[in-house]
């Protein structure tokens, strides 16, 4: 698998890289960021923390603003940040920010004009892990996953659907139930069509209601987040976790909004938490 | 002094703010960033760390990529990041990135067309401190200063020219001697005219040669910095400090370049060092 190095920068004793490859799943070039901590130089295989980004983001937002490198360097964790959708000319798009390019919702679209390129679930779960394993000193038996907003939705649903793949899952201000908010209804309706039964595999709350299980979940949510009530709906997640005996550590953080000022504040605590679950 | 709040975001328990005001010195609107750590809420006056940015930057680069908030929150330090020049229509500019808007070099220009607005030395040393003192719980008897590249030049020259104002000064990859590099010769020639005797007050090495003194200086410099040899010239700083009995802690950091990946890696160490000098 030919991987093009877009850039590398030394940071916190390790290497922040950006890479590009031709994706078989999305049939486009895909760009992603990988932080290799200093321990990667020792030849040991290191655990991997996936970070899935939110609407409008690329790999670059968390890379520039996420403040994850110090904690990853301390623990010896490889941090992988994929893009949020296929992009480019010839790739379907929507004028709004919440559909199309930058808004892949971590699912495989079945409807036109999306089905050809919008295969983010297969890309994240099947294709990209192989590329990470092949090109970096990654221990793929030790993976964890987190994400923000749409990426929090992605982290939670992918972890729930793939038991055993991730040792732990956390999220920053996740879209808890696309079925129950405007962002999700538009995206799932567009990508998957009008039959809402097909949407349930892409909804954290519905997956839990339908029997998917994790022992525990860590979620941080700002109480000054403008999307909290209408789009994110963490109360639905709380109810579902309680019924399903999932230990949800839901932390409502006073004064915090939906931005990377919020994410960066709590990033190190999430990494510490995942490090513990990864046996570091 | 009317101060317009552009934005505030809760971060690391404090508040990252962006503010705008009409500057008497530059005769333009000026924007700057202030991080108030959580301790600011207790009514105590807190020490101030100034950060001067490099060529092409605004207040926003370090605010987004500098990773200073965790350490400032730990120590209780207010972090102030000014812009690098006046900006806007009617403000002189140069097509290149190293002159004009985004490239004020922290001096007061005497030559046309720059003299009317390019008064960054008076802005940083006279006007902005008053605005900080008036609007934030800042203890102006406890100030320190740092900066990157052109801003490292700014931090070093302003500290040397204003003994007693700053308890400590450090720099990331500073332009050590504008007199001795292309960036500086172009800028100082343009802003101050051809008489190089007027340039010496805006050159760290020349100031030290001419008798300005600090007890100690901390400098980090990446050895993979593409500007190291032709523009930054830290060897001149080393020689000048040695002759003047200034304790220069010059740390050549292997593998690091000129980017914020370098700055963010060592930011917390600089803040820790300044905190010690500020008596925290």
């Amino acid at each position: 698998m030919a991987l093009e190095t877009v850039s590398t920068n030394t940071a916190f004793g390790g290497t922040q890289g950006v890479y590009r490859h031709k994706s078989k799943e999305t049939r486009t070039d895909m760009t992603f960021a990988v932080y290799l901590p200093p321990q990667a130089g020792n030849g040991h295989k290191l655990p991997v923390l996936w970070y899935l980004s939110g609407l409008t983001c690329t790999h670059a937002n968390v890379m520039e603003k996420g403040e994850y490198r110090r904690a990853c360097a301390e623990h010896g964790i490889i941090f992988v940040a994929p893009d949020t959708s296929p992009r480019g000319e010839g790739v379907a798009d929507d004028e709004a920010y919440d559909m199309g390019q930058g808004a892949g919702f971590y699912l495989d679209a079945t409807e036109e004009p999306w089905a050809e390129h919008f295969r983010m679930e297969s890309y994240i779960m099947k294709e990209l892990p192989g590329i990470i394993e092949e090109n970096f000193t990654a221990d793929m038996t030790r993976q964890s996953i987190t994400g923000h907003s749409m990426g929090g939705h992605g982290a939670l649903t992918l972890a729930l659907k793939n038991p055993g793949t991730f040792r732990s899952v956390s999220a920053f201000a996740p879209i808890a139930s696309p079925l129950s908010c405007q962002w999700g209804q538009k995206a799932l309706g567009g990508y998957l069509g009008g039959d809402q039964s097909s949407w349930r595999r892409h909804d954290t709350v519905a997956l839990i209601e339908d029997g998917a299980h994790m022992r525990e979940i860590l979620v941080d949510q700002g109480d000054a987040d403008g999307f909290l009530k209408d789009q994110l709906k963490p109360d639905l997640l709380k109810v579902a976790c309680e019924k399903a005996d999932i230990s949800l550590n839901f932390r409502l953080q006073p004064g915090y909004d939906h931005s990377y000022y919020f994410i960066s504040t709590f990033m190190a605590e999430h990494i510490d938490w995942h490090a513990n679950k990864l046996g570091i």
Side-chain angles (χ1 to χ4, degrees), chain A residues 15-186:
Chain A
T15 303
Q16 179 62 62
V18 177
Y19 307 92
R20 190 185 296 131
H21 69 114
K22 290 193 186 305
S23 166
K24 288 176 184 171
E25 290 292 346
T26 69
R27 302 184 191 182
T28 63
D29 283 356
M30 291 294 288
T31 302
F32 61 92
V34 173
Y35 177 66
L36 290 179
Q39 296 87 342
N42 302 336
H44 299 304
K45 289 198 170 184
L46 300 174
V48 175
L49 177 59
W50 295 81
Y51 176 91
L52 304 184
S53 295
L55 289 167
T56 77
C57 289
T58 68
H59 67 282
N61 302 67
V62 72
M63 182 175 79
E64 295 176 350
K65 302 179 183 177
E67 303 197 21
Y68 56 80
R69 281 174 288 268
R70 176 180 300 279
C72 286
E74 281 171 14
H75 293 297
I77 293 174
I78 295 173
F79 190 97
V80 179
D83 202 348
T84 53
S85 79
R87 296 175 190 274
E89 286 183 35
V91 177
D93 202 6
D94 184 281
E95 285 185 359
Y97 71 94
D98 56 2
M99 184 87 199
Q101 297 186 33
F105 270 84
Y106 305 102
L107 53 76
D108 291 349
T110 56
E111 299 300 296
E112 296 309 328
W114 312 106
E116 185 183 357
H117 298 294
F118 283 76
R119 296 184 53 78
M120 288 302 292
E121 181 170 359
S122 291
Y123 175 69
I124 299 287
M125 292 308 303
K126 294 181 191 164
E127 185 174 16
L128 193 50
I131 290 168
I132 298 299
E133 184 168 26
E134 197 174 325
N135 290 279
F136 304 95
T137 53
D139 176 0
M140 303 308 278
T141 70
R142 289 193 292 162
Q143 299 182 68
S144 290
I145 191 165
T146 186
H148 172 234
S149 196
M150 177 183 75
H153 144 79
L156 291 167
T157 54
L158 295 181
L160 285 163
K161 276 187 276 191
N162 295 280
T165 302
F166 301 104
R167 299 269 185 108
S168 49
V169 59
S170 74
F172 302 87
I175 302 175
S177 179
L179 278 160
S180 310
C181 72
Q182 206 179 6
W183 278 344
Q185 288 159 8
K186 176 179 176 183

Side-chain angles (χ1 to χ4, degrees), chain A residues 147-150 152 171-175 219-222 225 232 257-258 262:
Chain A
H148 172 234
S149 196
M150 177 183 75
F172 302 87
I175 302 175
V219 171
D220 276 314
Q221 171 65 57
D225 184 329
L232 305 176
D257 59 24
H258 201 63
F262 157 63

Side-chain angles (χ1 to χ4, degrees), chain A residues 173-247:
Chain A
I175 302 175
S177 179
L179 278 160
S180 310
C181 72
Q182 206 179 6
W183 278 344
Q185 288 159 8
K186 176 179 176 183
L188 272 53
Y191 294 133
L192 302 173
D195 176 7
Q196 295 204 3
S197 67
S198 71
W199 298 10
R200 294 185 66 83
R201 287 192 70 255
H202 309 285
D203 183 290
T204 300
V205 169
L207 280 163
I208 293 171
E209 288 172 353
D210 293 348
H213 199 267
M214 294 287 294
R215 258 188 60 201
E216 48 186 324
I217 297 172
L218 170 64
V219 171
D220 276 314
Q221 171 65 57
D223 77 354
D225 184 329
F227 301 115
L228 174 55
K229 285 192 179 168
D230 290 342
Q231 305 284 5
L232 305 176
K233 313 223 172 192
D235 288 347
L236 299 177
L237 180 63
K238 286 191 221 171
V239 170
C241 285
E242 197 170 347
K243 282 186 187 167
D245 201 23
I246 293 172
S247 172

